[in-house]
Amino acid sequence: MTDAARPPSRRLTGRCLCGTVCYQVADAFEYAMNCHCNDCRRATGSAFKPFAGIRREHLAIAAGGDATLIYGDASAAHDVHCRHCGSLLFSVVREGAYAHVTMGTLVDAPSIRPSMHLFVASKAPWHDITDDLPQHARFPGE
């Protein structure tokens, strides 16, 4: 295995609100963003969803796998929640190749920080974005 293909040794822990479901993920996120789309706002109950993207093989459920609830198509894009407390832990996206980890469920601080806001055209009207991160109406380039 080459150094580029080897996952980093630093592992982060994440968990749901009730602590039933725990996961571990490499601190090797490729991107992080704040999504303001309607779906992310509804899934989190918040103004936006801060998430960090990583290849799916770098994330593993460490405990409580039998307590997960899949919302969506389990063989395609879907969200993974705790079936007891409802916490949204991560979303499986990009044809199953990536996980979007909800940064609020991380116990350990990741080395990455969100770099932009997405879908600000549909952001909550009661929320004002007050940082200097770039804002995109949809995805960058759309």
Side-chain angles (χ1 to χ4, degrees), residues 47-62:
F48 57 92
K49 177 176 90 172
F51 71 88
I54 192 163
R55 292 206 56 85
R56 179 67 184 90
E57 63 265 18
H58 296 304
L59 183 147
I61 302 290

Side-chain angles (χ1 to χ4, degrees), residues 2 6 12 28 30 32 35 38 41 44-45 48 54 56 60 64 66-67 77 79 86 97 105 108 123 129 132 135 137:
T2 67
R6 186 174 296 120
L12 306 175
E30 295 179 29
C35 185
N38 292 327
R41 287 191 292 112
T44 62
F48 57 92
I54 192 163
R56 179 67 184 90
D66 58 338
D79 292 337
T105 64
D108 304 308
K123 76 172 193 62
I129 299 172
D132 294 329
Q135 297 181 27

Side-chain angles (χ1 to χ4, degrees), residues 76-125:
H78 62 272
D79 292 337
V80 177
H81 296 260
C82 171
R83 78 172 54 249
H84 297 293
C85 66
S87 294
L88 171 58
L89 300 165
F90 58 91
S91 302
V92 176
V93 298
R94 298 171 65 183
E95 300 177 6
Y98 278 78
H100 283 175
V101 173
T102 52
M103 295 178 80
T105 64
L106 288 167
V107 173
D108 304 308
S111 55
I112 198 168
R113 299 293 182 264
S115 62
M116 67 183 73
H117 294 273
L118 299 176
F119 291 98
V120 297
S122 60
K123 76 172 193 62

